[in-house]
Amino acid sequence: MTESYDPHAVEAKWQEEWRRSNADATPDSPEDPFYMLEMFAYPSGDIHMGHFRNYTIGDVVARYQRMMGRDVLHPFGWDAFGLPAENAAIQHDVHPAEWTYRNIETSRRTLRRMGLSYDWDREIVTCREDFYRFTQWMFLLLYRRGLAYRESSEVNWCPVDQTVLANEHVVDGACWRHPDTPVERRELEQWFFRITEYAQRLLEGLDDLEEWPESTVKQQRTWIGKSEGAEVDFELQEGEESLSVFTTRPDTLWGVTFMTLAPEHPLVERATVPERRPEVRGYVEAARAKSEIERTDASREKDGVFTGSHVIHPLTGDPVPLWVADYVLATYGTGAVMGVPAHDQRDLEFARRYDLPVRVVIQPRGEELDGETLEQAYTGDGLMVDSGPFDGTPVEEGIHRVTEFLREEEIGREKTQYRLRDWLISRQRYWGCPIPMIHCDSCGIVPVPEEELPVLLPESVRDFVPTGRSPLEDVPEFFETACPECGADAHRDPDTMDTFVDSSWYHLRYVDPHNEEEPFSRQAARTWLPVDFYIGGDEHATGHLLYFRFFTKVLHDAGWLEIDEPAVRLFHHGMVKDAEGEIMSKSKGNVVSPARLFDRDGVDVPRLAMLFFAPSADEILWEEKGLEGVRRFLHRLWALFVATMADRRVEEDREVERKALSSGAREAWRLAHRAVQRTTDSLEGDLNFNTAVAAFMEMLNALRKPGPPDEWSDEDFPVLVEAFDLSARALAPLAPHLGEELWHRLGHEESVFDAPWPVAEEEAMAQESVEIPIQVDGKLRSRVYLAPDAGREEMERAALSDERIREVLGDEEPERVIVVPGRLVNLVTG
RNA sequence: GCGAAAGUGGCGGAACUGGUAGACGCGCUAGACUUAGGAUCUAGUCCCGAAAGGGGUGGGGGUUCGAGUCCCCCCUUUCGCACCA
């Protein structure tokens, strides 16, 4: 009776041993530091399959780097503030803190069962006072640097959660948590972080992120949305007021035939002539009532309303009618645009609808456009016409010369415009980090002195039903305080911070998590940062990953960090969905629980299955029966291993004598080395472990072919032992418990993770090449047959007709000929 | 609409710089061992064909001795942006 593979026993044994020996502790004085980071988790119940996948991939890399001799920092923590805790509190009458800590317990237990190589001594929890006091410290740092400001403006409001939202959290006009409920626009005074100040540097920094996914870099680039052009001033015909517009095409200035204001533009009311006010007001009201989705629907027919007044064209002096239209965005540029219908499609549509003139001022070469009949706005290259002194100037040159001219005449200036908006960080909710600011009637807004941090979140709050104002306002012992400057009665800012503020710096805390004086020491930061490898989902491309870069740059400027970008390499793993391709969710009832999988198969089987199912960046459609193949593989590997090690022929110092091997054993030997190579390639490259696992399966199939170990010849037998030695080590990052067990059964004292990473023998990688003379009509034409991966016998069987060879070779005298048996001939000359 | 990526068996997916398409796994078929098996083992499994042979990587064209891979056109899917002036 042979011992069968019992993953539960093996895993319990090694997890206990790793804990006892503190195997995952971070090295104290690292010589070759490697910071491996996976995005931390929001604790909502237990971990899900997405976490399982993310943390598995990260653990594979961390363990590999350790075997490569790096000193690895591999920490974990919890993104513990956030709305779901409050919603749970409302539904289940449990305090958000209690709910959160309970979920952390549950999730941590599952993660620990996974045997992940985290240094749990560095665990952080963002809702704990030892963390959030430094989140407040960060706020004060930004405030001191003029990067945190309070302003009243029109902001996004989620009617379900009853709180404001950052721009990054509005998806298709709705709050990201409630895709069916459109966001509303409200005029409110809120805290913002001045990320726009860093727009240019965030853009430039992207060029250096060579190991970030291209798609993410591209998304950030469009999100920041840089446009270069000019700002042009127009005077109102009546009164003293003036009006600026932003344009990327100052060369088309002579083609302006109307001017349009966004309905929210502050000038609308004053610029409207009295007799038209009712109509304009009606239009503005209607525009405000429209949802964000309606407003921004580009396919909608454009409409607007005439104010009755005019602006003066700054170059021609002509009056230009001033309109109000809701296709103009209040939040971009100046909230006003000049209408150049001949050269802007939107303006053309508007002009046609209201019979406004269309003036062609750019003529394409070899064509004559007519404003009367133009159907499509012309936006291409050409020469300026009807443009006063600039007639005949090509577009590109015209843009520069007109801008220069505007500057000289003091009616305009060069202007760079970004699509990026400042980051709104206030939330009118309880479960978040309090904003460390105090409102005093006489001193205004006053920061809480640093030595008074943390501003504690009061635990006494019991009512979390959203009302549109922070519950902290109703907690007198929190809300009411004294002004730090004058000592008079004052009140604290009752809002809490966006949880994305927490995640903008959590990775910095890991380098020095127990520091009570500072968020982290500069020394520890210098040692470990930047993050060498960061893994998480791509849904954070224009949110977290942008904020996280922003914070890095701010802390760099403040002298806290030497680095300017937070992470060298970024990888996005694919989603895990159900077999039908649906996202797993409680409401759909299709959630697969990792913990349940571990109950049945232990950890290594589902872990290896996760790695085997698809390339790491691709989506996985999880199917229970897919586990079967991996389960069989591990059980067979174990069975063969146990039978081999029980065999007395295992001796010390038995080297594989390659020349003496039978072809079957040689093939197995070759495949073992290829599996090692394939795993190394995956780890160094694309993280596509599916092919690495497949290579090990091929190796095992080859090892099983000659029969059980006692049927192996003495010459072939060492191949088995060598294959197990290689497997134990190269498989260890993928299936850590099993790898460790095999390694120890091979007679090693130290952990497999302290063993060196195996190097595949080149001989096993080499392609077959055999020298065979090629003769045509009895005459030697060339010498070498080469065929990738083809055996000698096969090659000798290669059937090539004389005609075929003659046809290909012609009169050439090739250096060598590449033949794929029976099929293909390629001559290589020179 | 713009931009990007991708289309390969019943399914997940292999195929490095163009070189025997379908590795590996699931599933399926047959057999062995079994009182039994949703266990295990063995063999088979792209399509047509008894075989020889022929066809085959979304469709159509092209380059090449040779194309899943390179080029052009079209179709489909997914993702990102979506009135940003």
Side-chain angles (χ1 to χ4, degrees):
Chain A
M1 187 66 206
T2 50
E3 182 194 0
S4 66
Y5 174 44
D6 178 357
H8 297 286
V10 171
E11 287 164 16
K13 170 181 164 190
W14 288 111
Q15 287 183 15
E16 173 57 33
E17 171 56 25
W18 294 335
R19 203 160 316 173
R20 196 196 55 73
S21 63
N22 214 7
D24 301 315
T26 310
D28 279 335
S29 35
E31 283 169 22
D32 189 6
F34 187 92
Y35 187 176
M36 178 69 222
L37 183 66
E38 297 110 63
M39 289 183 185
F40 63 174
Y42 182 79
S44 60
D46 201 350
I47 62 157
H48 54 66
M49 295 297 275
H51 292 125
F52 175 30
R53 189 175 193 194
N54 190 168
Y55 304 144
T56 291
I57 296 169
D59 192 55
V60 173
V61 176
R63 289 182 181 278
Y64 166 70
Q65 291 295 342
R66 190 173 299 178
M67 293 179 77
M68 290 297 283
R70 315 294 295 271
D71 296 309
V72 177
L73 169 61
H74 190 210
F76 194 76
W78 305 96
D79 187 13
F81 273 135
L83 265 180
E86 279 179 67
N87 294 337
I90 295 162
Q91 272 178 28
H92 304 117
D93 192 30
V94 55
H95 195 274
E98 194 191 327
W99 183 84
T100 302
Y101 284 113
R102 205 196 299 156
N103 291 339
I104 288 176
E105 274 300 310
T106 308
S107 302
R108 189 198 289 120
R109 198 177 314 126
T110 306
L111 288 179
R112 298 212 72 148
R113 275 181 80 182
M114 284 175 66
L116 300 167
S117 61
Y118 291 128
D119 178 355
W120 286 100
D121 285 344
R122 291 182 183 242
E123 181 183 26
I124 58 168
V125 183
T126 59
C127 67
R128 235 164 41 195
E129 170 197 334
D130 65 344
F131 183 90
Y132 75 68
R133 62 185 293 183
F134 293 112
T135 305
Q136 292 171 340
W137 183 97
M138 293 286 164
F139 182 99
L140 293 178
L141 178 87
L142 265 76
Y143 180 76
R144 275 200 308 276
R145 300 183 67 79
L147 296 169
Y149 66 96
R150 198 170 159 83
E151 190 177 81
S152 183
S153 69
E154 187 144 302
V155 298
N156 299 300
W157 176 268
C158 174
V160 181
D161 290 336
Q162 294 274 307
T163 181
V164 296
L165 291 170
N167 233 359
E168 284 75 14
H169 301 142
V170 179
V171 179
D172 292 337
C175 160
W176 67 325
R177 291 184 194 284
H178 310 99
D180 300 325
T181 314
V183 296
E184 294 168 9
R185 309 282 303 176
R186 288 199 181 182
E187 181 77 24
L188 288 168
E189 190 179 296
Q190 300 289 323
W191 284 102
F192 290 86
F193 283 166
R194 209 182 295 280
I195 191 170
T196 51
E197 181 85 18
Y198 281 74
Q200 184 58 32
R201 281 173 59 197
L202 287 167
L203 201 59
E204 284 166 3
L206 291 173
D207 294 335
D208 300 327
L209 300 179
E210 284 162 17
E211 296 184 67
W212 279 40
E214 227 176 290
S215 64
T216 303
V217 169
K218 202 163 280 174
Q219 274 184 60
Q220 290 208 354
R221 195 164 276 137
T222 29
W223 189 261
I224 296 167
K226 181 179 182 176
S227 295
E228 289 175 286
E231 204 169 65
V232 190
D233 304 331
F234 289 73
E235 303 273 322
L236 255 73
Q237 193 172 35
E238 302 83 8
E240 296 295 292
E241 308 257 20
S242 85
L243 173 63
S244 299
V245 297
F246 171 72
T247 177
T248 53
R249 293 294 302 277
D251 58 313
T252 63
L253 199 50
W254 278 265
V256 172
T257 57
F258 62 96
M259 183 70 81
T260 325
L261 298 175
E264 296 84 359
H265 197 284
L267 222 54
V268 169
E269 183 70 16
R270 272 172 286 154
T272 303
V273 297
E275 58 273 27
R276 297 200 54 82
R277 275 190 189 145
E279 196 188 338
V280 171
R281 279 178 191 158
Y283 182 82
V284 170
E285 289 301 308
R288 276 188 196 280
K290 280 181 194 162
S291 74
E292 194 67 11
I293 306 166
E294 276 179 276
R295 274 289 290 275
T296 55
D297 179 9
S299 60
R300 203 180 97 229
E301 199 180 353
K302 290 166 187 41
D303 58 22
V305 55
F306 181 42
T307 60
S309 63
H310 294 77
V311 295
I312 304 297
H313 193 292
L315 300 171
T316 63
D318 292 340
V320 174
L322 182 63
W323 287 66
V324 176
D326 67 5
Y327 76 88
V328 179
L329 302 174
T331 48
Y332 183 78
T334 61
V337 297
M338 59 187 212
V340 186
H343 306 292
D344 183 288
Q345 188 58 28
R346 295 156 299 186
D347 296 344
L348 182 65
E349 287 167 29
F350 193 78
R352 290 291 183 234
R353 170 144 188 196
Y354 295 106
D355 270 331
L356 296 160
V358 178
R359 266 174 65 91
V360 173
V361 292
I362 304 291
Q363 283 292 2
R365 284 164 236 249
E367 222 183 313
E368 188 77 7
L369 299 177
D370 177 9
E372 296 280 313
T373 57
L374 200 63
E375 282 175 8
Q376 200 71 33
Y378 181 74
T379 56
D381 196 14
L383 299 179
M384 294 171 68
V385 296
D386 289 332
S387 296
F390 294 92
D391 281 358
T393 314
V395 166
E396 196 58 34
E397 191 188 332
I399 291 173
H400 291 104
R401 283 183 51 198
V402 173
T403 307
E404 180 64 11
F405 180 74
L406 291 170
R407 198 180 55 77
E408 281 164 11
E409 299 293 311
E410 295 182 6
I411 46 174
R413 58 213 66 84
E414 200 171 7
K415 172 87 180 173
T416 301
Q417 187 68 45
Y418 297 92
R419 209 192 76 120
L420 184 71
R421 312 287 155 76
D422 277 337
W423 176 13
L424 199 175
I425 58 118
S426 320
R427 296 292 179 273
Q428 288 70 50
R429 297 296 299 247
Y430 166 74
W431 192 235
C433 175
I435 293 172
M437 299 301 275
I438 291 168
H439 300 261
C440 169
D441 284 341
S442 40
C443 307
I445 297 172
V446 181
V448 172
E450 215 172 277
E451 57 277 11
E452 285 177 27
L453 295 184
V455 175
L456 289 174
L457 182 68
E459 280 164 31
S460 57
V461 178
R462 283 291 171 273
D463 185 7
F464 309 103
V465 176
T467 58
R469 43 193 278 284
S470 169
L472 296 180
E473 235 175 286
D474 302 323
V475 183
E477 62 272 27
F478 173 88
F479 191 58
E480 282 158 24
T481 187
C483 171
E485 275 179 22
C486 69
D489 286 352
H491 69 263
R492 292 189 187 281
D493 197 297
D495 289 350
T496 54
M497 285 185 236
D498 182 359
T499 57
F500 281 82
V501 177
D502 310 331
S503 53
S504 293
W505 78 279
Y506 79 111
H507 61 296
L508 304 173
R509 184 63 177 171
Y510 286 132
V511 306
D512 191 12
H514 307 298
N515 194 329
E516 289 177 18
E517 309 300 318
E518 301 169 321
F520 53 87
S521 77
R522 288 174 170 86
Q523 173 60 40
R526 210 172 304 128
T527 301
W528 291 109
L529 297 169
V531 171
D532 290 281
F533 205 149
Y534 194 29
I535 301 184
D538 65 359
E539 67 274 18
H540 295 108
T542 53
H544 162 63
L545 290 169
L546 194 64
Y547 300 147
F548 156 82
R549 294 183 56 224
F550 166 56
F551 260 61
T552 304
K553 290 182 188 300
V554 172
L555 287 163
H556 169 89
D557 291 352
W560 280 87
L561 295 175
E562 289 177 6
I563 55 163
D564 190 46
E565 285 291 341
V568 178
R569 181 168 180 202
L570 172 70
F571 184 82
H572 295 308
H573 64 273
M575 297 236 282
V576 183
K577 297 184 175 171
D578 76 2
E580 273 74 51
E582 299 283 338
I583 291 169
M584 292 182 184
S585 74
K586 280 177 194 143
S587 56
K588 286 202 187 89
N590 59 353
V591 176
V592 176
S593 146
R596 229 202 60 244
L597 295 175
F598 305 154
D599 287 343
R600 197 182 51 205
D601 282 302
V603 173
D604 285 349
V605 167
R607 172 168 165 141
L608 205 60
M610 192 65 106
L611 297 170
F612 177 62
F613 278 174
S616 294
D618 290 9
E619 188 172 271
I620 281 180
L621 304 186
W622 184 266
E623 277 193 272
E624 217 73 6
K625 65 184 180 187
L627 282 173
E628 198 56 48
V630 171
R631 191 184 294 135
R632 281 185 192 136
F633 165 63
L634 290 185
H635 282 265
R636 283 170 182 166
L637 180 70
W638 177 274
L640 184 63
F641 179 84
V642 170
T644 302
M645 300 318 287
D647 196 288
R648 261 176 294 282
R649 284 181 303 166
V650 178
E651 295 159 24
E652 319 273 314
D653 307 319
R654 278 286 296 270
E655 293 281 314
V656 170
E657 283 285 341
R658 257 232 322 126
K659 293 212 173 67
L661 295 179
S662 69
S663 66
R666 194 185 177 285
E667 181 66 0
W669 175 83
R670 208 172 66 87
L671 289 174
H673 283 270
R674 285 174 69 99
V676 169
Q677 187 60 49
R678 187 53 244 184
T679 309
T680 310
D681 290 348
S682 299
L683 280 156
E684 292 291 338
D686 51 20
L687 305 187
N688 288 347
F689 300 110
N690 54 333
T691 51
V693 176
F696 277 107
M697 289 173 168
E698 284 182 74
M699 175 204 74
L700 180 64
N701 290 344
L703 289 174
R704 278 156 51 87
K705 225 168 197 165
D710 58 3
E711 288 173 24
W712 283 58
S713 72
D714 286 349
E715 287 72 33
D716 287 346
F717 192 79
V719 168
L720 273 174
V721 181
E722 181 171 322
F724 286 123
D725 178 282
L726 294 174
S727 303
R729 285 187 283 159
L731 216 45
L734 309 180
H737 308 87
L738 182 71
E740 189 81 289
E741 178 70 18
L742 296 186
W743 185 245
H744 279 262
R745 289 191 178 216
L746 284 164
H748 300 279
E749 287 293 319
E750 90 279 22
S751 166
V752 70
F753 300 107
D754 293 325
W757 184 254
V759 179
E761 280 196 38
E762 260 179 57
E763 201 179 341
M765 298 307 112
Q767 294 186 339
E768 293 286 345
S769 70
V770 182
E771 267 194 41
I772 298 169
I774 301 178
Q775 296 182 350
V776 179
D777 300 337
K779 190 177 156 217
L780 181 74
R781 294 302 301 266
S782 188
R783 294 190 176 285
V784 189
Y785 270 80
L786 285 172
D789 284 346
R792 176 175 193 121
E793 285 167 49
E794 263 180 297
M795 266 183 278
E796 285 174 352
R797 269 190 279 113
L800 288 170
S801 66
D802 281 4
E803 301 90 81
R804 188 80 188 93
I805 294 174
R806 218 179 348 247
E807 182 195 323
V808 174
L809 296 191
D811 293 327
E812 297 275 343
E813 204 57 54
E815 206 164 84
R816 56 197 187 116
V817 178
I818 296 174
V819 175
V820 174
R823 276 290 192 92
L824 309 153
V825 181
N826 183 31
L827 61 150
V828 178
T829 47

